[in-house]
Amino acid sequence: MDIRAQVSSVFHLDKCIGCHTCSIACKNLWTDRRGNEYMWWNNVETKPGTGYPTKWEDQEKYHGGWERVGSQLRLKQGGKAATIGKIFHNPDLPTMDDYYEPFTYKYADLTNAPAGTDQPTARAVSMVSGKPMKIAAGPNWDDDLSGSNVYAANDPGVIELSAEQQQQLFAIEKMVMFHLPRICNHCSNPACVASCPSGAIYKRGEDGIVLINQDKCRGWRMCVSACPYKKTYYGWSSGKSEKCILCFPRQEAGEAPACFHSCVGRIRYLGVLLYDADKIEATAMKADGELAAAQREMILDPCDPEVLAAARAAGMAEQIIQAAQKSPIYKFVKQWGIALPLHPEFRTLPMLFYVPPLLPLLSTDHQGTQKLADDFFTSLEQARLPLMYLAGLFAGGNEEEVKAVYRRLIAVRLQRRAATVGDLAEAEVERARTISGLERDTLDAIYRMTSLTRIKERIVVPPLLREQAVEAGMDPEEYKQAMGFGSRKAPKRRW
Amino acid sequence: MQTSRFRFNLPKRILTLAFLSVALPVFCALAATGEPERGRQLYTGAVAMSNGGSPCIACHGLTGLGSAGAASYGPNLSDLYANYGEEGVAAVLESLAFPSMEAIYTSRPLTETERLDLTAYFARTAEQTAAPPTSLAGSILLGVLIVFAIVALLGLRRLKGVRQPLVDQVRKQRGMQS
Ligand code: SF4
Ligand code: SF4
């Protein structure tokens, strides 16, 4: 057993209101520099939709993530030799239009306009060329299903569905959608790390945060194509690639990452997971449908004495172990089994999990709750949002995984309905509990965690003990004040 | 002692010289075929001229040496032997009385054997079917074109934009202008 600690997250999709506050918090903090305008370490997509960059999920186009070749795992964009072969002409990079051409408006034209009889206007100008431009795309261009005939219709998950299911999805009166906020997953089998020819990307030992060393990065952009989630970005001014740093400077000061802290819907949970790094390879080799379950297997119980002994023997700090025991992520993923990884079939073993959205699910008569005993299952299977679509997103196509989660979420809802509205027979609630396989107390705990918790229970930032590591080389106080984000050395190439 | 020995040897020496003065022209006539292979080495610079003159290949083109024999500073020497014959070539090599060559070869003349070997080499070249030498510039151009072709082929697999084709496709379906 090779025990590692990982700062992981859960996003509860039923609660996301699609306000983009998280994206703005991140942009203001980290990517408002020149050449970085187009990059959104945190972005929020509407599903169904093609996302940002357009159709990032379609690895037949982008060649991101891993694939199984015989008994081996290989980067889809090619092994080491292939990487060297195309080092000067990586063919798999998204074009600017697939992200979007960053733009601003000539606001000065409003205030400086001479007095006249017509309203002054602020024209859009490109932030790349500085010339007036026609805006044709943006990072959330298909927000709330806008342009759905182009974008939602071409969602790689939607294309997989039968014509009938597509109809169901797009029936105008019954239009369904949900929001999918995305950040770097800080994967335990990161494709970005494996692809870097300069060895500039690494996974921090103490917390599993994946970072790009700004001094070592040579701007080859192999990580940009290798990351199947398209979560590394090339900085056009600095000549280096950048990605979500999970706000490690904030975490080291005991603060939640900015997107977590600012989240209006309180959908974001954070905590430490302990996992067995020896199992990474075997897990990533599993069949598509088994990946989500195998990844759960990799995660260890932080209260199991055997695990504790192994963790201590490996030199893990006591504070980290304590944080792992309080981790809401462990509950969501392991104990309750209601959070799944996004696109596990990319085989990077993402460490960000999602509670799939239940809200638009039950569409049959009476909100699908009345004739519970008769058609509990049929109401689930006739969901407005086809289960297959959700299984394609969160379980490598395995509908059973998604169904199991929904049965639990439905049980929580029915139990609360019986308690607050009181219009359900206890026998039916009991039946829902049996089907879900969870106890009354557990269902209550899920309800509390999803509805009533305060920030310190949702976001359990472990003490990262960075000061101990820093102390060895420099005064921690000086370090704190002198070091911001990454590199202090100006890059040689700059325009 | 030495003087007496010199005197003693004098008649013998005179005899030797006399023999040589008769035999040498005959010998030279026999050796005039030279060694073409050595001539090639001298021409290409594989073997240095003993007086330090630069190899012919530096300025003159010649068939049979590929694109390396395509220098164009001096005239092409492929037809030299055919035009001037053995004696003509020998005479030229002896004096090398051209303004641009004088500067080099008056102080670094070709030796007798070198001249013979080179002449033999020119003779051999003249026998070969005279394929015109490929010009160096042409070869470089070809190389550059091949590199461009490879780059263009690799570029074919490049991702050329995902979003715009989706939009165009829908516009086309609806018969709209883009
Ligand atoms: S999501 Fe992408 S960038 Fe983040 S760790 Fe995984 S492979 Fe790397
Ligand atoms: S801030 Fe929270 S609720 Fe708003 S879009 Fe981001 S994740 Fe969703």
Side-chain angles (χ1 to χ4, degrees), chain A residues 166-184:
Chain A
Q166 291 193 11
Q167 200 90 50
Q168 202 180 352
L169 195 68
F170 289 116
I172 298 295
E173 319 79 355
K174 293 179 177 176
M175 273 268 205
V176 283
M177 60 166 198
F178 61 94
H179 299 288
L180 180 71
R182 298 200 300 122
I183 62 173
C184 165

Side-chain angles (χ1 to χ4, degrees), chain A residues 183-193 201 210 223 226-232 243 348 350:
Chain A
I183 62 173
C184 165
N185 298 292
H186 298 276
C187 309
S188 38
N189 184 31
C192 56
V193 175
I201 314 184
V210 176
C223 56
C227 170
Y229 302 92
K230 290 287 160 284
K231 278 295 167 193
T232 61
K243 64 181 283 301
T348 61

Side-chain angles (χ1 to χ4, degrees), chain A residues 290-443:
Chain A
E290 297 166 20
L291 279 162
Q295 206 181 335
R296 269 198 305 275
E297 272 308 297
M298 231 173 75
I299 296 165
L300 302 168
D301 180 355
C303 295
D304 179 345
E306 212 177 296
V307 172
L308 288 180
R312 290 193 181 109
M316 194 173 291
E318 208 56 38
Q319 295 98 313
I320 301 278
I321 296 176
Q322 277 163 16
Q325 290 169 341
K326 277 191 267 167
S327 166
I329 311 306
Y330 183 74
K331 293 187 181 126
F332 271 111
V333 178
K334 273 284 264 208
Q335 281 182 330
W336 302 337
I338 56 171
L340 297 168
L342 177 63
H343 284 302
E345 74 276 15
F346 297 160
R347 300 177 190 281
T348 61
L349 308 186
M351 288 308 232
L352 161 57
F353 302 86
Y354 291 88
V355 178
L358 176 62
L359 194 66
L361 194 82
L362 301 175
S363 64
T364 45
D365 303 345
H366 312 292
Q367 298 171 336
T369 59
Q370 300 297 327
K371 291 180 283 171
L372 178 68
D374 299 332
D375 60 16
F376 189 88
F377 294 106
T378 44
S379 62
L380 186 56
E381 265 124 47
Q382 288 169 359
R384 232 177 354 172
L385 204 58
L387 277 185
M388 188 184 154
Y389 177 73
L390 292 153
L393 274 178
F394 300 113
N398 183 350
E399 289 187 27
E400 290 309 315
E401 279 282 348
V402 183
K403 261 190 227 172
V405 171
Y406 280 141
R407 289 192 179 121
R408 289 170 195 147
L409 293 178
I410 289 171
V412 174
R413 196 163 288 194
L414 296 187
Q415 180 167 309
R416 286 309 300 165
R417 184 173 178 131
T420 53
V421 186
D423 63 345
L424 289 179
E426 180 54 30
E428 296 207 343
V429 179
E430 186 53 48
R431 185 168 143 71
R433 270 200 292 270
T434 322
I435 293 170
S436 77
L438 294 180
E439 302 290 319
R440 175 189 292 272
D441 290 349
T442 315
L443 294 179

Side-chain angles (χ1 to χ4, degrees), chain A residues 238-253:
Chain A
S238 67
K240 312 272 179 177
S241 293
E242 298 181 12
K243 64 181 283 301
C244 160
I245 57 175
L246 209 57
C247 284
F248 75 84
R250 284 176 61 95
Q251 288 202 54
E252 283 168 11

Side-chain angles (χ1 to χ4, degrees), chain A residues 20-321:
Chain A
H20 299 272
T21 309
C22 45
S23 306
I24 298 298
C26 177
K27 166 117 319 238
N28 283 339
L29 199 51
W30 301 119
T31 60
D32 58 349
R33 287 159 290 135
R34 186 171 177 204
N36 291 19
E37 297 93 347
Y38 81 103
M39 62 170 83
W40 294 84
W41 294 357
N42 182 109
N43 75 301
V44 184
E45 294 171 5
T46 300
K47 282 281 162 194
T50 50
Y52 157 85
T54 309
K55 278 189 128 182
W56 60 270
E57 294 158 288
D58 187 351
Q59 304 310 341
E60 292 313 306
K61 285 200 161 32
Y62 288 107
H63 298 104
W66 300 91
E67 62 185 0
R68 288 188 296 182
V69 180
S71 61
Q72 294 237 300
L73 214 50
R74 208 187 61 188
L75 285 179
K76 214 175 163 97
Q77 69 176 11
K80 285 200 177 104
T83 302
I84 297 289
K86 55 191 173 191
I87 199 150
F88 293 117
H89 63 99
N90 184 347
D92 299 320
L93 295 172
T95 64
M96 176 162 74
D97 182 61
D98 297 331
Y99 292 108
Y100 74 106
E101 181 168 350
F103 53 83
T104 183
Y105 296 90
K106 282 191 184 166
Y107 293 109
D109 286 0
L110 298 179
T111 46
N112 299 343
T117 50
D118 48 2
Q119 290 270 8
T121 50
R123 287 190 66 187
V125 284
S126 163
M127 289 171 103
V128 177
S129 65
K131 300 204 177 99
M133 67 177 270
K134 186 168 167 273
I135 302 168
N140 57 339
W141 201 243
D142 54 349
D143 213 13
D144 300 343
L145 291 181
S146 58
S148 60
N149 57 338
V150 177
Y151 300 105
N154 278 297
D155 180 321
V158 169
I159 293 172
E160 300 270 296
L161 300 175
S162 68
E164 195 193 335
Q165 284 169 317
Q166 291 193 11
Q167 200 90 50
Q168 202 180 352
L169 195 68
F170 289 116
I172 298 295
E173 319 79 355
K174 293 179 177 176
M175 273 268 205
V176 283
M177 60 166 198
F178 61 94
H179 299 288
L180 180 71
R182 298 200 300 122
I183 62 173
C184 165
N185 298 292
H186 298 276
C187 309
S188 38
N189 184 31
C192 56
V193 175
S195 72
C196 178
S198 310
I201 314 184
Y202 61 104
K203 195 167 170 66
R204 288 220 302 198
E206 70 267 45
D207 51 21
I209 296 177
V210 176
L211 296 173
I212 303 179
N213 181 332
Q214 295 292 294
D215 288 336
K216 278 173 95 179
C217 174
R218 289 272 159 272
W220 297 118
R221 280 171 279 170
M222 288 299 159
C223 56
V224 176
S225 49
C227 170
Y229 302 92
K230 290 287 160 284
K231 278 295 167 193
T232 61
Y233 304 86
Y234 181 65
W236 288 95
S237 181
S238 67
K240 312 272 179 177
S241 293
E242 298 181 12
K243 64 181 283 301
C244 160
I245 57 175
L246 209 57
C247 284
F248 75 84
R250 284 176 61 95
Q251 288 202 54
E252 283 168 11
E255 293 280 351
C259 55
F260 286 69
H261 206 146
S262 62
C263 178
V264 174
R266 302 179 183 180
I267 81 153
R268 296 179 176 225
Y269 299 79
L270 180 136
V272 175
L273 285 182
L274 301 185
Y275 70 98
D276 184 358
D278 280 342
K279 286 198 185 144
I280 291 177
E281 204 180 343
T283 305
M285 284 298 291
K286 285 272 173 12
D288 284 359
E290 297 166 20
L291 279 162
Q295 206 181 335
R296 269 198 305 275
E297 272 308 297
M298 231 173 75
I299 296 165
L300 302 168
D301 180 355
C303 295
D304 179 345
E306 212 177 296
V307 172
L308 288 180
R312 290 193 181 109
M316 194 173 291
E318 208 56 38
Q319 295 98 313
I320 301 278
I321 296 176

Side-chain angles (χ1 to χ4, degrees), chain A residues 91-92 97-98 136 149 151, chain B residues 154 157-159 161-163 174:
Chain A
D92 299 320
D97 182 61
D98 297 331
N149 57 338
Y151 300 105
Chain B
L154 289 170
R157 199 180 80 60
R158 227 181 92 191
L159 192 64
V162 176
R163 195 194 66 86
R174 302 186 163 190

